[in-house]
Amino acid sequence: MTLLSLNIDWILLIEKLALIAIVVFASLGIALYTTFGERKVAAILQDRPGPNRAGPFGLLQPLADGVKMFTKEDIIPSSASKWLFILGPGLAMTASLMTCAVIPWGGTIELFGRTISLQIADINIGILYIFAVVSLGVYGIMIGGWASNNKFSLMAALRGASQAISYELAMGLSLIAVLMLSGSLSLGDIVKQQQAGWWNIVYQPLGFLIFFICALAECNRTPFDLPEAENELNFGYHQEYSSMKLGFYLFAEYINMIMSSAVMASLYFGGYDIPFVNDAELQTHLGNWVALFQVGTLLIKIVFFIFLFMWIRWTIPRFRYDQLMNLGWKSMIPLALVNMLVTGALVLLKMNNWHF
Amino acid sequence: MNITQILFWFLSVLALVSALMVLLSKNPVHSVLWLIVVFFAISGHYILLNAQFLAIVNLIVYAGAIMVLFLFVIMLMNLSADTEPQKNVWMKLAGTIAGGCFLISTCNIVYNAQNVSQEIAGKTALLNQGNIGLIGNLGKVLFKDYVVPFEISSVLFLSAMVGAVVIGKKEKSNV
C-alpha cells in the first residue's frame, strides 16, 4: 500500500536514469578505446606499428585486454585490510564517473512531446560539484594504497594525494577567472554564454594553460605520474592489485582523462557549440539532429584533448618530486593569482565602460 | 510518502548509523571513513533544505580536504587499538557528561525552534522553498551585509597560514 501511494515523478526518474545509463556506458566504451588509442599513439610516436593482431587494425585489442583482466587470478593479500582493499578501486571508478552528471553533453531534444536536456543535472553549483568529486577521487588512491599494507603502496598513495591537493588549489584559482567572466557556476550557462559570444579561451589563454597542467596532475598523467613511478616505488599505489581490481584503477585514469577533457572543452572551448554555426538557427531547420551534431562536436573536442594528453605522455619525462611541488606551489599558484587579479580588474573596468 | 521524505529518512538513518560506527570502529582509519559517510549524509540534508552551496562546500572542505589530512596523519602513524594507551575512567566520565550537556542543549534548540516558527514545525525538508541557501543570494549577503566580518576572518585565515609556514620553517632549520 505504501509503495502504491508513493508520490514520484516516474517519467522524470526514468528519463534521468536512461541518460545516466547512456552517459556511463558511453564513457566506459570510449575509455576502452582510449586505452587502445594510447597504445597506438605511443606506437606512432615511437615509430612502430603498435597492437595490430586482434581484429582489423587491432581494433579488438581492448576486448582482448578486458578478457585477460577478467580471467586473471584475483588475489587479496593475506595481510591486507580486505574490505578497504576492495573498496579502493570501486571508489576510484565511482568518483571518476560521477563527474559526468553535470557536463552538458548537448543541447535539448524533443521526444514524445517532452523537451529533454542532454545534461543529467543542471545544478547551479556545477563547477563546485566537479571540485567535490575531484577531491573525492583522492580517497580511491589513498584507501587502496593503505589497505594493501605495503610500504611502497602507502608512499605512492600519499604522493598521489598530496599532489592532487596541491594542484587542486591552482586549478580552483584559474577557474575563478572563468567564473568572474561568466557570472555563473552552472556549466550549462557557461556553455550557453560561449555559444552566444567568443569561446572563453580567447579571454583566458593563461587560465586555460594552468587548468590544463593541473588537469594533467590531477589525472596522474606524465609528467606528473609520480604515484606510479616504477623506478622509485616498484609499481605505485596499485602494486598489490591484480585482475580486474587493477583494471579498475587503470580504467579510472582513462575515465578521468575523458571527464577532464570534457570539462576543459566545456569551460574554455565552447562545450557542445558547433564552431562557425548559429546553433539556434540550425535547430529550427534540423530539429533533433542538431543535438546529435552537438554531441559529436563535443566528442571531437574531447578526443583532441585526449590526444594531447597522450602526446605529452610519450614526449616529456617525469618530474622529480621536489620539482613537482615547486612547480605547483611556486609557479602555478602565483600565476593563477595574477591571472585572477588581472581578469578581475578588467571585468571591473568593463563594467565601468573602460573608464578608470 | 513522497520522495523528499524517503530521502530524509534514508539520510537520517545513514547519518546516525555511520556516526555510531565512527565511535565503535576499532581501527582509526575505518573511523575516518565512516566520518566521511556522515559528511555525505549531512550534505544530503543540506540539499534537502535547498542549501546547495553549503552542501557542496561541506563536501569540498570537510570530506575532500580536512579528512584527507586526517587520513594522512593516521596512515603515517599507523595507529591501532593495541598500541593506543587506554584513557582513564575519569576522562571518559568527563567526556560523557560534556557530550550529554551538548546533546541536551541541542535538543532544547530544536524543540524551541518549533515554537518560534510555525513554518518549520513538523517538516522534514524545505525542498524548493526559500532560496537563501543558493549561491547567488549567499554571496550577496556575505559581500554586502557582512563584508567586514568576512574580510576579517579571511585575514585571520591568512595569518594562520603564514604562522603554519613559519613554524614549519623553524623546525627544519633546527634539524
Side-chain angles (χ1 to χ4, degrees), chain B residues 56 58 65 92 119 130 169:
Chain B
I56 214 80
N58 185 38
K92 283 182 186 168
E119 246 181 289
K169 280 237 156 137

Side-chain angles (χ1 to χ4, degrees), chain A residues 84 124 136 139 146 158 185, chain B residues 40 52 63 67 75-76 135:
Chain A
L84 292 184
N124 67 3
L136 291 179
Y139 285 114
W146 182 78
L158 293 180
L185 284 164
Chain B
F40 264 89
Q52 301 178 348
M67 283 300 120
M75 284 177 178
L76 281 179
I135 187 164

Side-chain angles (χ1 to χ4, degrees), chain A residues 3 5-13, chain B residues 1-4 6:
Chain A
L3 259 179
S5 59
L6 285 178
N7 180 17
I8 299 173
D9 188 354
W10 287 107
I11 301 176
L12 185 76
L13 205 65
Chain B
M1 248 168 93
N2 59 20
I3 203 156
T4 42
I6 298 171

Side-chain angles (χ1 to χ4, degrees), chain B residues 64-142:
Chain B
I66 293 181
M67 283 300 120
V68 170
L69 296 181
F70 266 64
L71 265 186
F72 255 86
V73 174
I74 291 172
M75 284 177 178
L76 281 179
M77 294 208 296
N78 210 3
L79 295 173
S80 66
D82 313 327
T83 56
E84 191 70 345
Q86 287 295 311
K87 305 258 185 329
N88 67 37
V89 184
W90 291 106
M91 284 287 280
K92 283 182 186 168
L93 197 67
T96 315
I97 291 171
C101 289
F102 180 69
L103 184 67
I104 290 171
S105 51
T106 320
C107 288
N108 193 34
I109 291 169
V110 174
Y111 183 72
N112 283 337
Q114 290 201 335
N115 295 338
V116 170
S117 154
Q118 288 299 313
E119 246 181 289
I120 57 170
K123 288 239 176 91
T124 51
L126 289 168
L127 197 63
N128 297 330
Q129 298 170 30
N131 43 18
I132 186 64
L134 298 186
I135 187 164
N137 303 325
L138 202 66
K140 274 178 191 140
V141 170
L142 267 185

